[in-house]
Amino acid sequence: MTEKSGNQWKTLDRDLDRIATLERGTQYVSRPMVGLGVSLAFIVVAGLGAALFFGFQPGSLIVIVAAGFGAYMALNIGANDVANNMGPAVGANALTMGGAILIAAICESAGALLAGGDVVSTISKGIVDPSSMADLRIFVWAMMAALISSALWVNLATWVGAPVSTTHSVVGGVMGAGIAAAGFSAVNWPSMGAIAASWVISPVLGGAVAAAFLAFIKANIIYVDDKIAAARRWVPVLIGIMAGAFATYLAVKGLKRIVAIDLPMALLIGLVTAVVTTLISRPYIRRKSEGLENRNKSLKVLFGLPLVISAALLSFAHGANDVANAVGPLAAIVHAEQVGEFAGKVSIPTWVMVIGAFGISFGLVLFGPKLIRMVGSQITKLNPMRAYCVALSAAITVIVASWLGLPVSSTHIAVGGVFGVGFFREWHAERRYRQNAQRRGVERRLPPEERRRRKLVRRSHFMTIVAAWIITVPAAALLSGLIFTVLNLLTP
């Protein structure tokens, strides 16, 4: 080969490397556009589906537009809300991101389509009196404003990395539109006060329950001499509690379409399930623990499968309950345009439920990883045992709140559980330091530098999320009021 031809080949190689680098850069830059493109296509398909199933009749254009915004809301719920169920399992390395997204997409859709409530309160949780609306057009614009504003707020929260309550977003949207349409007297302020109280009740309850389970695991499994023997004794009990809690949770919250079950019967179902599951899981844990070393790392193996199952069940229950946040206002608009009158409660057409179910799944697949990482690994470090405590907390706290009649948010409970686990670890670490220092006869308080280093919860994320929780209802209400005013002015 001549020197000239060799230089030509080197030049060609360099040019090909530049082209390959350009292609990789183009793919990286265009990757977010793929999600946006698929989302836009889904919104268009939802509108076309509305045109097909609703038919071309008076009011069909409004229904088509509302279906598009309903699809947009469902996408945002999938991007934001589902992270609370899968984040801990991914952060604990019990599931890969791809596996979590696949399981959540299947379980969310199954929960929505199989067990989603067939009747939804169109004036969310009795916030606004339907009779306060002047006429049908005012009601439709109020529901449209609530749908658009709540979707925009959840989208903004996802962009800044804050998991917020979609239920509170819808409540704020309905309240803001109601005030703009009929004044402050139209709002049921005692109900709003109960919802405001849930901002505190939900995360505190979730954090306390998660911290209590973590304290139990530390005292009875981690800090004992024979960890494997302790795990064989207590892990089946914890799995039984998980199974019983989810059986009760699904019986109360997720099976309304199939069969109506009151709380005492649901608790009995949960108790029987807990006992049976404990007995069944004992031989499984014994086999799983054979040959494991007597160390904390071995314990993580025993919690892996139960954690994955709990995350899947949480997703199923979430799909059964929260799909109404996406399609409730849409169902109200469809009913109003079809029947010619508005009502406080309406049936959800199957095609509307399908939009909600698939929208949540698409939103999770396309945009969910950001919030899953936030909840799973960026607030505090999770392992399978800590993540398991968060999952247990989510199920048990909802059951306790239902029994006490307290309004709670599943988002606040799950994220509160993550905070509770992190803050408990901080407190426990400092307590053990003081105990060891007392035995050694040295300074019992941590130096300020060491105290800062041992903070196990990121304060910046904590403050961002809490701020987003506090302003969700008023921000969605203000946005909804503005949108309703614009819609009302644009129509004759």
Side-chain angles (χ1 to χ4, degrees), residues 270-321:
L271 178 61
V272 173
T273 304
V275 172
V276 172
T277 304
T278 300
L279 296 175
I280 293 174
S281 61
R282 285 196 182 280
Y284 166 78
I285 294 298
R286 182 169 294 277
R287 289 194 305 270
K288 193 77 173 176
S289 62
E290 289 178 358
L292 294 179
E293 298 180 13
N294 188 33
R295 50 190 300 198
N296 290 344
K297 187 176 182 180
S298 300
L299 299 176
K300 298 176 183 179
V301 177
L302 304 179
F303 284 89
L305 181 60
L307 177 58
V308 172
I309 294 174
S310 66
L313 290 172
L314 271 177
S315 291
F316 181 90
H318 178 270
N321 288 278

Side-chain angles (χ1 to χ4, degrees), residues 28-274:
Y28 179 80
V29 171
S30 63
R31 192 177 303 162
M33 302 304 295
V34 174
L36 293 175
V38 173
S39 300
L40 181 60
F42 175 71
I43 291 172
V44 171
V45 169
L48 294 175
L52 177 64
F53 287 100
F54 187 78
F56 291 96
Q57 52 183 295
S60 60
L61 181 59
I62 292 175
V63 171
I64 292 170
V65 173
F69 282 114
Y72 173 51
M73 178 60 175
L75 288 166
N76 283 293
I77 291 177
N80 191 293
D81 225 15
V82 181
N84 309 316
N85 306 325
M86 287 297 165
V90 173
N93 295 320
L95 275 172
T96 63
M97 181 66 74
I101 289 174
L102 177 63
I103 292 174
I106 293 172
C107 292
E108 289 280 341
S109 299
L113 296 175
L114 298 178
D118 55 352
V119 175
V120 63
S121 175
T122 59
I123 308 296
S124 187
K125 302 193 182 299
I127 297 304
V128 175
D129 182 8
S131 63
S132 64
M133 301 293 178
D135 55 38
L136 185 66
R137 183 180 61 82
I138 294 294
F139 176 80
V140 168
W141 287 148
M143 291 297 101
M144 188 78 80
L147 190 60
I148 298 171
S149 63
S150 55
L152 288 173
W153 174 251
V154 176
N155 195 344
L156 176 62
T158 304
W159 181 68
V160 301
V164 297
S165 170
T166 52
T167 300
H168 287 178
S169 301
V170 174
V171 165
V174 171
M175 183 185 76
I179 292 173
F184 286 92
S185 61
V187 178
N188 185 338
W189 293 108
S191 294
M192 279 305 306
I195 290 171
S198 75
W199 296 340
V200 178
I201 295 170
S202 298
V204 170
L205 273 178
V209 173
F213 274 106
L214 184 59
F216 178 86
I217 290 173
K218 285 181 177 291
N220 293 279
I221 301 177
I222 295 176
Y223 294 122
V224 298
D225 294 332
D226 192 341
K227 303 178 192 299
I228 302 303
R232 289 173 177 172
R233 182 184 310 114
W234 289 114
V235 172
V237 174
L238 291 171
I239 294 175
I241 293 173
M242 175 205 72
F246 277 114
T248 305
Y249 182 94
L250 292 172
V252 171
K253 306 290 288 185
L255 299 179
K256 296 176 184 177
R257 174 172 286 190
I258 300 173
V259 61
I261 300 175
D262 58 13
L263 186 59
M265 178 59 67
L267 290 173
L268 179 61
I269 292 172
L271 178 61
V272 173
T273 304

